[in-house]
Amino acid sequence: MSDERRLIFYIDAYSPETIPMAKLAEYMADFAALLGKDNAVHFAGLEKGSTKIAVRIEHEDLPKVTARLNDVRRGNPTKEMAKVFDQIDDRLANDNAVGRIYIDGPDEAVALLAFPGRTRQKPQSYGPFNQEGHLDGILISIGGKDESISLRLQNGDTTYTNCDTTRHIARELGKHLFEPLRIHGTGRWMREANGKWTLLRFRVHRFDVLKTDSLSDTVHALRSIMGSQWKDIADPLAELENLRRDDEGELH
């Protein structure tokens, strides 16, 4: 035991008697993921007062564990550790709590990492803003009795519903129902607290009819370009799919 040191994860909400077991298990799992070194980290119990999750760290692995926490504190964690830190901090904020991790030394505690939790700056909504731009999609409906005519545009799983235009433009748009279009105009946007942009209204000033060339037609056009290397690729469709994948294999 003398070759081991104790780390404490302090949470200023609940107590060992009041914290729900499922919630305690979530905090413990995240704490373990943040520390790493699974074989060198051992649960040492809950301490009295506020919730204090104690673990024992084998002496030879303590520098490695503290280095991981210091990386987070200094702002250069791995992607995985940053995700775990944010997950813990979100839990604390939702529980109206703050937290910290420290070494339980013989004379005084040594702080390693703090979680702002409820004290972190709250995200704010911004807007609404007007901005010129365009939307792409298939025109799925158009109509109305007033001077301002409403229309709906579908792009995959997204349907733009708060769009309108003049009767004159609407008459021309009506000729292209269920065709892919690009509508140009002024959008009124709101940036929500979670970072998501919400379209409040889009006033259409003009539109373009988008081409519906098939992928094979596109590849044929690429191969016909003078100096293009596409004609030397045996499977261009597979190559296009590879180009759309990021470093983690996700398709875009």
Side-chain angles (χ1 to χ4, degrees):
M1 183 73 70
S2 59
D3 288 336
E4 297 175 333
R5 298 295 298 275
R6 283 161 39 97
L7 258 64
I8 307 295
F9 177 20
Y10 169 84
I11 304 169
D12 77 339
Y14 303 107
S15 68
E17 294 78 23
T18 62
I19 187 169
M21 185 168 65
K23 186 177 293 293
L24 175 62
E26 292 172 344
Y27 276 120
M28 290 178 64
D30 287 343
F31 186 25
L34 195 64
L35 297 178
K37 309 302 294 183
D38 293 347
N39 295 329
V41 177
H42 311 280
F43 178 59
L46 292 177
E47 297 193 350
K48 294 181 179 180
S50 298
T51 303
K52 296 179 183 178
I53 304 172
V55 297
R56 292 182 286 106
I57 309 294
E58 294 177 9
H59 179 74
E60 62 272 17
D61 288 296
L62 183 63
K64 300 173 186 177
V65 172
T66 56
R68 285 170 61 90
L69 299 180
N70 284 332
D71 283 343
V72 179
R73 179 172 55 83
R74 292 168 182 159
N76 59 339
T78 64
K79 184 177 180 180
E80 179 184 356
M81 290 179 62
K83 180 180 179 181
V84 175
F85 177 89
D86 290 341
Q87 188 165 292
I88 293 175
D89 200 49
D90 287 343
R91 291 194 199 282
L92 292 167
N94 292 334
D95 289 336
N96 194 32
V98 297
R100 65 178 184 271
I101 297 174
Y102 60 89
I103 298 177
D104 188 19
D107 299 319
E108 60 180 351
V110 179
L112 293 176
L113 186 63
F115 299 90
R118 68 169 180 270
T119 64
R120 69 188 184 190
Q121 185 176 0
K122 301 294 190 297
Q124 296 180 342
S125 298
Y126 296 96
F129 304 100
N130 288 340
Q131 180 160 347
E132 298 296 314
H134 67 265
L135 302 173
D136 292 347
I138 295 175
L139 181 64
I140 58 174
S141 71
I142 185 168
K145 298 180 180 180
D146 301 328
E147 289 300 319
S148 183
I149 306 299
S150 299
L151 59 101
R152 292 193 300 160
L153 207 67
Q154 185 173 11
N155 188 334
D157 294 333
T158 301
T159 301
Y160 301 107
T161 58
N162 300 323
C163 304
D164 60 73
T165 190
T166 64
R167 286 189 172 186
H168 173 71
I169 296 176
R171 278 194 295 269
E172 297 301 315
L173 279 168
K175 302 174 184 178
H176 302 284
L177 192 63
F178 303 120
E179 293 183 18
L181 304 175
R182 172 169 292 168
I183 56 176
H184 302 264
T186 303
R188 190 158 180 81
W189 298 86
M190 173 73 75
R191 186 183 185 278
E192 307 294 350
N194 61 4
K196 179 182 177 181
W197 286 92
T198 299
L199 179 61
L200 303 178
R201 182 174 182 259
F202 194 90
R203 181 67 172 178
V204 181
H205 303 320
R206 61 185 179 88
F207 70 93
D208 299 319
V209 179
L210 299 179
K211 293 183 178 180
T212 56
D213 293 342
S214 67
L215 185 57
S216 60
D217 292 335
T218 302
V219 170
H220 178 74
L222 288 171
R223 282 183 154 178
S224 66
I225 298 173
M226 183 70 68
S228 171
Q229 297 179 351
W230 285 94
K231 61 179 178 294
D232 300 323
I233 298 176
D235 190 347
L237 298 183
E239 181 66 19
L240 283 172
E241 182 171 307
N242 288 334
L243 290 174
R244 294 171 59 204
R245 294 184 183 275
D246 58 23
D247 293 338
E248 297 179 356
E250 294 295 329
L251 193 62
H252 298 284

